[in-house]
Amino acid sequence: MIPISAQNAAEFAGGRLIGCESTITYITTDSRKAAEGCLFAAIKGEKFDGHSFIEKAWHDGAVCVLSSENIDVPEGKGLILVDDTRKALLKLAGGYRDMFDIPVTEVTGSVGKTTTKDIIAGVLSEKYNVLKTNGNFNNDIGVPITLFSLEKEHTAAVVETGMNHKGEIDVLAKEVKPNVGVITNVGVSHIENLGSREGILRAKCEMFPYIKSGGFAVLNADDDMLSTIEGREAEYGLPDDVNIMWYGTNDDCDIWADGIELLGIDGVKCTIHTPKGSFDVTISVPGKHMVYNAMAAAAVGIIDGMETEDIKRGLEGFVPTGMRMERFKLSDGSTLIDDSYNANPVSTKAAIDVLASCDGPKCAVLGDMFELGEFSDKMHYDVGAYAAQKGIDRIIAIGGASRNIYDAAVAEGAENAEYYGTVEDFLASGFGFEGTTLIKASHSMHFNKIAEYMKQK
């Protein structure tokens, strides 16, 4: 980060500096990373209270701490006193973000926001020095960490924001202050907390008021919920001086795609049409959903002044991050598709579509999808039925809620359906399969263990 004074940090955070003025060269919430020149933010979490580590942080070289407790400050050190350190950290990040006059894109959505963030960053990197969110650090701690990583050499940024409750996008977008806000889709993730897809839509649209004047909202016109915003922009909080750039598969969109050709596990081809012209592109990541990710990236590229040849190059050079449709050719000749980073009903069905397009025998190892509330049983059942209807040769369900996947597969006539209560039970079965295997579940199901088992075996 660019060095800032402790007094400036206090002003950004809305706090009061006690003790010595100093220069802050980086900011951390992890006391183990406290060193010379840092500000340590003492965050109260579920298991630990960062205030317990303030003395250690000072000892290890921190010049200042962000604290909600007024404690004695050693000579030569500083303390910024605030009411709530989590909220103050985010405000501090927003103040730091204001030091940069660069295009900032904020990405949110129910499905695919991390991949969309990554592919947008890949496209923009053809013209800009881009900072992007690391992994899915997209909450009120991860977003500040991203913003504090801005350096003088950065000329653009792509920031992912997530939520599972109403109001969370609002507080994040207020500090991100994007020039472009991208919403990929409105699915059913977190419906347990938001009650309905309309509730999810409104939660995603909380970013709208914070898009800078003259900026753009980039929206998926093929999404049945997002499309309802047209003609009702003010109702969803979109300012009059913010434009919408729609993308989809109809030629009345600003960015649209046709000629879509699924290449199975090898990726997808399409033609993307933009206001600057059209181009053919081959994306190495499989699935029709990647066409939508590519269109969103093309839209941001066009807004940020890029030429179509640079956009095409960025799209074709895209490589996904770990455990997101990663493909591995195993030593026994079989193929693993590791999509185990996370799961919800929409993304799981999309992954099943990719598997169904592969040649040879196909196996889906599917696990629990969380935060579905009262809809959980039905949505798991629908996934099991979908896998069977797609002709998947072997369907394996793992986890308590996934019993519904198994029951549906059997009801739909799947001849090779299996159920295991835990990942450990499944691994103990000595699984093997001569064909292509997809593994997918919510992150906390730890399906990465299955991927490692298959690679080693």
Side-chain angles (χ1 to χ4, degrees), residues 323 338-343 365-370 398-399 422-424 426-427 439-453:
M323 295 185 288
D338 183 359
D339 198 23
S340 63
Y341 189 83
N342 217 338
V365 182
L366 308 173
D368 288 1
M369 303 171 289
F370 297 134
I398 303 173
T422 67
V423 168
E424 288 69 28
F426 169 70
L427 294 178
I439 60 173
K440 189 163 182 66
S442 284
H443 191 67
S444 53
M445 286 295 291
H446 302 295
F447 268 33
N448 58 302
K449 296 179 181 178
I450 298 175
E452 291 307 311
Y453 168 83

Side-chain angles (χ1 to χ4, degrees), residues 41-236:
I43 304 297
K44 292 182 179 179
E46 294 181 2
K47 296 181 179 180
F48 301 102
D49 184 350
H51 292 82
S52 302
F53 303 98
I54 286 177
E55 297 289 348
K56 177 183 182 299
W58 272 327
H59 177 270
D60 291 344
V63 294
C64 193
V65 298
L66 186 67
S67 171
S68 61
E69 298 178 6
N70 191 351
I71 60 177
D72 291 337
V73 182
E75 184 178 352
K77 303 291 186 179
L79 180 147
I80 298 173
L81 185 63
V82 296
D83 293 332
D84 185 313
T85 51
R86 288 185 80 107
K87 293 179 180 178
L89 181 69
L90 192 53
K91 289 176 64 178
L92 173 52
Y96 182 75
R97 181 261 183 267
D98 286 338
M99 296 171 62
F100 295 82
D101 184 18
I102 62 174
V104 174
T105 300
E106 179 177 349
V107 181
T108 193
S110 295
V111 182
K113 55 184 173 290
T114 298
T115 301
T116 303
K117 173 261 302 180
D118 287 338
I119 200 169
I120 290 172
V123 165
L124 293 182
S125 293
E126 295 296 324
K127 178 178 180 179
Y128 297 94
N129 185 334
V130 181
L131 171 73
K132 69 172 183 175
T133 298
N134 182 27
N136 68 336
F137 278 27
N138 59 23
N139 65 3
D140 61 342
I141 301 297
V143 168
I145 289 172
T146 299
L147 294 177
F148 292 137
S149 299
L150 280 166
E151 301 280 3
K152 286 182 178 179
E153 60 266 25
H154 288 125
T155 55
V158 186
V159 181
E160 178 183 334
T161 56
M163 62 92 205
N164 52 34
H165 289 85
K166 179 181 178 182
E168 291 178 338
I169 293 293
D170 181 90
V171 298
L172 296 175
K174 183 178 181 181
E175 308 306 339
V176 173
K177 306 175 187 73
N179 305 86
V180 179
V182 179
I183 305 180
T184 60
N185 46 54
V186 176
V188 294
S189 301
H190 317 302
I191 199 169
E192 176 181 17
N193 301 322
L194 291 155
S196 66
R197 291 185 68 213
E198 175 66 23
I200 296 169
L201 170 64
R202 291 188 178 276
K204 302 297 183 187
C205 292
E206 288 172 3
M207 75 156 63
F208 285 167
Y210 304 106
I211 299 175
K212 290 195 169 186
S213 177
F216 284 82
V218 174
L219 307 178
N220 181 352
D222 288 359
D223 183 271
D224 63 328
M225 296 301 294
L226 285 171
S227 62
T228 65
I229 292 174
E230 189 168 18
R232 304 164 62 197
E233 292 86 355
E235 180 183 339
Y236 288 93

Side-chain angles (χ1 to χ4, degrees), residues 285-329:
V285 183
K288 185 179 179 180
H289 60 283
M290 286 304 302
V291 175
Y292 289 93
N293 297 341
M295 286 190 286
V300 177
I302 292 294
I303 292 167
D304 286 347
M306 296 183 65
E307 300 303 323
T308 55
E309 56 265 29
D310 296 324
I311 295 171
K312 172 184 170 72
R313 187 165 54 250
L315 293 175
E316 293 193 328
F318 173 68
V319 177
T321 52
M323 295 185 288
R324 291 180 174 88
M325 298 305 290
E326 278 193 293
R327 294 162 289 167
F328 300 94
K329 198 71 176 178

